[in-house]
Structure formats: C-alpha cells, structure tokens
Amino acid sequence: MLLGTVLVLLLFQGAGPASAHAALRSSDPRDGVVLASAPRHITLTFTESVGLLDDSFRVLSPRNERVRTGEADHVPGRSDSVRVALPAAGLGEGTFTVAWRVVSADSHPVSGAFTFSVGEPSATAVTVDPGPVENPATTGLYTIARYLAYLAVALLVGTAVFLALCRPADPNVLPRLLRVGWWTLLGATVSLFVLRAPFEAGTGPATAFGAAALERTATSRPGLVLLARLALLALTAVFLLRLFRRRRSSYAIGAALALGLALTWAAGEHASAGIQVPVAMASSVLHVLAMAAWLGGLTALVVTLSRAAVLEPATVTRFSRLAFTCVSVLVLTGVYQSWRGLGSWSALTDTTYGRLLVAKLTAVVVLLTAAGFSRLWTVRLATAGTRTAVPRRVPEPVGGPALPDGPQDGPPEEPPVVADRRGLRRSVLAEVTVGVVVLVLTTVLTGTVPGRAEAEAAQSPAAAGLPVASVSHVPFEVGGARGQVQITLDPARVGQNSVEAVVLDAEGGFAIVPELRLSFSLPAQDIGPLDARLTDRGGYWGTNDLDLPLAGTWEMKVTIRVSEIDQVSETKTVRIG
C-alpha cells in the first residue's frame, strides 16, 4: 500500500496547479504601477472564491492617513474577485498603500499589501504591516479545539461502529465512551464557533464575545457549517438516548448522522476548495469516517479488553476485518488527497505541508506495524477458544488456601487465552497511542497551506501575503552631523530590485547630502561589492536597476558624504529572498 502511494504520487506529479488556500492572482491597479489619474475602484482577483471581513481593505495615503473608502463587496457574478470604491473626489498625487485581508474558501484567512502611485511616486512610500495572519493566542486555542473535535468524533463514531458491527458480548462498558465523545465534540464545536471571528480577523480571544463578532460568524460559511454540526449533535443525542434505554433504533439513522458529521469536516477544510471539489468532498468524508471507525474502534476495543467481564474472540475477529477495511479506505483516500494537496514530488521536501505529510506517513507506518502485531494476537486469541472470561478472585478459607496434593515445581501456569488477551490489549494500546499522534499531525495539516497553493502563491505576480518591500534604517554620525538613511529595497528578492534612499536628520526631517553611495556584498558566496549606482532624484536617491543574483543575507554598505571632507561608511545586513 505504501509503495502504491509513492507510485500514484509519481504518476500524477505533472498535473496542473490548484489551490486550497486563496492566492492573489492579480490586482487592479497592479503593484508598483504609476497612474496618470486616480482609479475609481481597487479590485483584487484570487485563485479561488473568498469571503470578506468588516475591515478587508485599508488604503493609506502618502502621509500615512487612512483613505475613506466605500464598503467592500464582490464583483458582480464573481466569487473570486472583490473590490472597494475610492473617493469620487480623487486621491491626490503620491504613492498609496493597500493592505487587504480575506478568508479563503477553505476557511483560512490570508492577507497582504501592495502600492500604486498617482501622478508620480512619493519620495517615501508608507510601509504598512497588513497585520498578522493569525493571532498566536487565538490560533493556539482554535487549534486545540480543532484537535479535540477530531478526537471526539473518532471516539463517538468509532465506539458506535464497534457496538454495531463487532457486537461485543458485554457492551455495558462502552456507553461512557459515547458520552465522553459527544460532550467533547459539543464543547469543541462551541469553542470553534466562538473563536471563529477573532481567528479570521487575527485578533485576540477577548474579542470573541461581541455581538457583532458572533453575528458575523453565524452568517459566514464556516459558521453555518459549525451550526449544522451542532444540530447534528442534538439529533445524535436523541439517537444515543434511545440506545441507552434499550429502545430499538435503526442503524441507518446512526449511519446518516455519522455521514452528516463527517460532511461538516469536508465542507470546512481543504476539500471544499480547489480542483475536483465533489470528488474531494466524497474522499474527505470517507477519510474521516474510516479514521473514526479505526481509531475510535481501537479505543473501544482497549476498554473492552480491560473492563469487560466476557470477551468473545469473534468480537476481536470482527474488528480485525473492520480495521483492514478502514485502512484500505484510508490509503486510497489518502493517496488522492496527497496528490491533490502536493501537486509535485518536490513539494514533499520543499514545503511545510509536504514535510508534515512525510511525518504523518511515518507515524502511519508505525501504526500499521502495531496493527500487524495486534492481528497476530487476534489470530491466537481466536484459536484459543470460543468464549473467554476474565479470571475472578475466589474467596479463600481463613488461614490460607489448602495445600494441593503432591509437590509443586513452581507457580501455576497462566492460561494461554489470558496471556493472549493481555498481549492483544498491549498492542492495541500502542496503536491508540500512535493514533493520537496521527490525529495531531492531521490537525496541523488541515491548517497548513498545501503544496499546490504554496507553489501557486509563489508564482503569482502579486506574491500574495508577502511584504512588498524591505525597509532598513542605517544610523550615522560624521563631522558633527547625525541622522539616519532610510533604504527601501523593493521587492528584496533575487533579480531586479529598485532602491529608494532618504537621508533624515537627527529630528527626523529630510536632509540634503552631496553624495550617497550604496553597495551590496554576499560574503558567503564571495560576491561583491555590487555598486547600486544611486542617482539624486530630487529629495531622495534611487535606482531601478539593482540586480541581486542569489538569495541570502547580504551586507549593505552605505557611504554618506556630508561635506567636501566629511564622509562615513556604515554596514547593515539585509535578507534577500
């Protein structure tokens, strides 16, 4: 099965790109353009449909003042394009900065920034931080809730499947698992709903309880998915109560509820965006159900082996067959999802998503190894007898047990069936432990940009979510003059770059100097110094023809001459991507 996974990845590595996190495809005006007159709208087009937030657009003037704009909305008939109207009176001249933030179709927030100029560029452009894509505290709590939701659905669905299909002789030890799974899933889902608004906006958890935040979540697609999950949990509670009261309940109803719960995961994760959405949704549903039936069933089996007074070998055999079916489904759906998420063989090692997928695959190999040992113990237990009871302690007469007839050569031998049951319990417990690791990696994977989307974002001319320039401040002091040089390197990547250097005095005002030189060196590769050949452009020094051939940490040497005899050179490092 593992070999088949590798072969399928190799066969499909040449497929066209697709995205499961939105990447900015284009902007109008485009990044860095100089316009003769102000545009009427700012329009952004993404690689997939996106949702808007209350503050999706921020437009800043050359004086770092926020420009009043209209309400952001989608371009008519286009779910992947959004726009905002600019003031009818115009913007004036200079360089304007646009910071944007949207929510991709798979519910993950993305953000970025770019600039455009009207008339002529400003001497200095506003350097704006589009804001963190995620708030660490909110993201941490949101991730914990997502992990608990995965764990709970596995426990709830897996235990129910174990009861229905494996038919244990002593089912009374399992209802507690169903209750724990249901309540945990309820709490995790409510937490996800409450934290959704600050997670999208990149704000702290304290902003989660505002009426506006909850209303926005309730009307968004991720919020509707979570509300649907809560409704399904209410129906599941009724179904479980009927089971606990020994009333007849149709297994078809239970299967429909499990299918609906799994669908809420598919509708809110990577499967809901990108290529082949119907196939991906079906694959995701099967993947979640197979995962829940296997790992949740393993937990139910551990509890049965530990606490049940009676264990039929047929129960273990039935679960062994069920586990084999689940593993087969997981491999088939996992191969498809891996191909869809990676897009190329190199993405396995070049992207965070690929490296996490390798880690998950390694954990699954360990899990399958433990499952192999469990299968061996299952065969031994099945051949040991048709029915096994847990040995019970027998009361002994006062004064100790009677001595048996004849000499004893050592402690009594343990019945083989008891040893087999203990061995099976240990190997299944090992499976459950590794399964928890797999669930953790799965949770992290669903929140990571897939390899396809990462590659498409990197190839996009708009370079979504990346800063538009690198700004460095180099202080200097010479001949009684003090100040700093503000150097803007755009886009601070391999290839052609533009440079804008402004000399500021000690009070932060503009200063005029007779000469300013700038050179770049890469000591690690013994390259340089490369002269930037700055020219005086009336208020600032600049060039549009700086070519940096390699990525790395470059040394930027700035030479400032303030008079005929006074000059100084300062060095600062800058990262070129």
Side-chain angles (χ1 to χ4, degrees):
M1 288 181 177
L2 294 174
L3 178 60
T5 302
V6 174
L7 289 175
V8 170
L9 287 173
L10 285 171
L11 286 173
F12 288 111
Q13 64 176 324
S19 166
H21 279 48
L24 182 60
R25 189 187 301 277
S26 64
S27 65
D28 183 15
R30 69 179 187 273
D31 184 20
V33 70
V34 179
L35 304 174
S37 59
R40 298 185 60 184
H41 295 86
I42 295 174
T43 304
L44 304 179
T45 301
F46 295 86
T47 55
E48 64 176 45
S49 59
V50 295
L52 289 167
L53 303 172
D54 292 340
D55 199 26
S56 279
F57 283 90
R58 285 184 294 145
V59 182
L60 301 179
S61 72
R63 294 186 298 274
N64 200 21
E65 297 173 346
R66 184 157 184 176
V67 177
R68 289 192 176 186
T69 63
E71 185 176 352
D73 60 0
H74 285 85
V75 174
R78 297 284 301 275
S79 62
D80 61 345
S81 294
V82 295
R83 68 181 181 181
V84 65
L86 295 175
L91 296 174
E93 293 190 344
T95 299
F96 294 81
T97 304
V98 180
W100 55 266
R101 184 182 183 87
V102 296
V103 180
S104 59
D106 63 351
S107 76
H108 294 279
V110 289
S111 63
F114 66 94
T115 63
F116 68 92
S117 301
V118 178
E120 62 181 20
S122 304
T124 58
V126 174
T127 302
V128 60
D129 181 3
V133 176
E134 298 173 341
N135 177 275
T138 301
T139 301
L141 293 173
Y142 195 84
T143 301
I144 291 173
R146 290 175 64 242
Y147 168 69
L148 290 175
Y150 271 111
L151 188 66
V153 75
L155 196 61
L156 179 62
V157 175
T159 303
V161 170
F162 184 85
L163 282 168
L165 300 184
C166 300
R167 302 189 296 278
D170 186 6
N172 296 324
V173 298
L174 296 178
R176 184 177 179 182
L177 285 182
L178 292 173
R179 294 189 186 96
V180 170
W182 188 89
W183 281 107
T184 303
L185 185 54
L186 176 66
T189 303
V190 171
S191 299
L192 290 171
F193 184 86
V194 171
L195 291 169
R196 183 68 209 178
F199 176 73
E200 290 181 348
T203 57
T207 62
F209 300 99
L214 294 176
E215 182 181 357
R216 184 170 69 248
T217 300
T219 55
S220 66
R221 193 172 69 89
L224 292 174
V225 169
L226 293 172
L227 289 176
R229 187 182 299 172
L230 290 174
L232 287 168
L233 281 173
L235 296 176
T236 302
V238 176
F239 177 78
L240 293 178
L241 285 175
R242 292 179 62 87
L243 285 181
F244 295 156
R245 294 173 182 175
R246 297 291 190 269
R247 296 180 180 176
R248 293 177 59 85
S249 291
S250 172
Y251 287 148
I253 297 176
L257 290 172
L259 187 66
L261 288 172
L263 189 58
T264 63
W265 266 269
E269 300 292 353
H270 293 157
S272 62
I275 60 172
Q276 303 174 353
V277 171
V279 178
M281 293 275 286
S283 174
S284 181
V285 168
L286 291 175
H287 200 80
V288 171
L289 290 176
M291 175 275 298
W294 184 22
L295 298 182
L298 280 173
T299 306
L301 181 59
V302 168
V303 172
T304 302
L305 289 168
S306 302
R307 299 183 181 179
V310 176
L311 174 68
E312 292 181 343
T315 299
V316 182
T317 303
R318 294 185 194 108
F319 179 76
S320 181
R321 294 168 183 161
L322 172 65
F324 180 81
T325 302
C326 291
V327 169
S328 301
V329 173
L330 285 171
V331 168
L332 291 175
T333 56
V335 166
Y336 172 74
Q337 292 178 7
S338 298
W339 162 74
R340 189 173 181 268
L342 285 171
S344 67
W345 182 253
S346 60
L348 274 174
T349 55
D350 294 345
T351 64
T352 301
Y353 184 90
R355 290 188 287 270
L356 284 171
L357 187 61
V358 170
K360 180 182 176 181
L361 184 60
T362 303
V364 170
V365 171
V366 176
L367 188 59
L368 292 174
T369 302
F373 284 103
S374 297
R375 194 170 180 83
L376 292 176
W377 286 111
T378 299
V379 173
R380 293 185 58 175
L381 187 62
T383 57
T386 59
R387 193 173 181 85
T388 306
V390 175
R392 300 183 180 275
R393 187 176 298 276
V394 179
E396 298 174 352
V398 176
L403 292 175
D405 297 334
Q408 297 294 314
D409 296 330
E413 293 184 1
E414 187 179 52
V417 70
V418 176
D420 294 341
R421 180 170 174 171
R422 182 179 294 111
L424 178 59
R425 184 170 61 244
R426 290 172 179 170
S427 64
V428 172
L429 185 59
E431 283 189 72
V432 173
T433 303
V434 181
V436 171
V437 176
V438 172
L439 279 179
V440 171
L441 292 172
T442 300
T443 304
V444 177
L445 265 177
T446 56
T448 304
V449 180
R452 284 183 185 270
E454 188 172 332
E456 186 169 355
Q459 295 169 3
S460 171
L466 297 175
V468 297
S470 168
V471 180
S472 303
H473 295 84
V474 183
F476 68 89
E477 183 174 358
V478 59
R482 291 188 302 110
Q484 63 176 337
V485 182
Q486 177 180 292
I487 301 171
T488 303
L489 187 63
D490 187 6
R493 293 188 183 184
V494 169
Q496 192 170 25
N497 289 260
S498 64
V499 179
E500 292 181 359
V502 179
V503 182
L504 305 173
D505 58 24
E507 285 73 34
F510 291 101
I512 303 299
V513 297
E515 185 178 12
L516 184 67
R517 298 195 303 271
L518 183 64
S519 63
F520 290 82
S521 301
L522 185 61
Q525 300 292 336
D526 196 23
I527 296 177
L530 305 178
D531 189 358
R533 295 186 176 88
L534 299 182
T535 58
D536 188 352
R537 296 189 172 182
Y540 72 99
W541 297 74
T543 180
N544 294 323
D545 301 317
L546 174 63
D547 190 11
L548 299 176
L550 295 175
T553 302
W554 289 69
E555 289 185 357
M556 184 170 58
K557 182 180 179 181
V558 187
T559 301
I560 309 104
R561 184 167 64 85
V562 298
S563 68
E564 292 297 329
I565 59 173
D566 295 317
Q567 75 173 32
V568 67
S569 295
E570 301 290 347
T571 301
K572 190 177 183 68
T573 59
V574 61
R575 178 69 183 172
I576 301 301

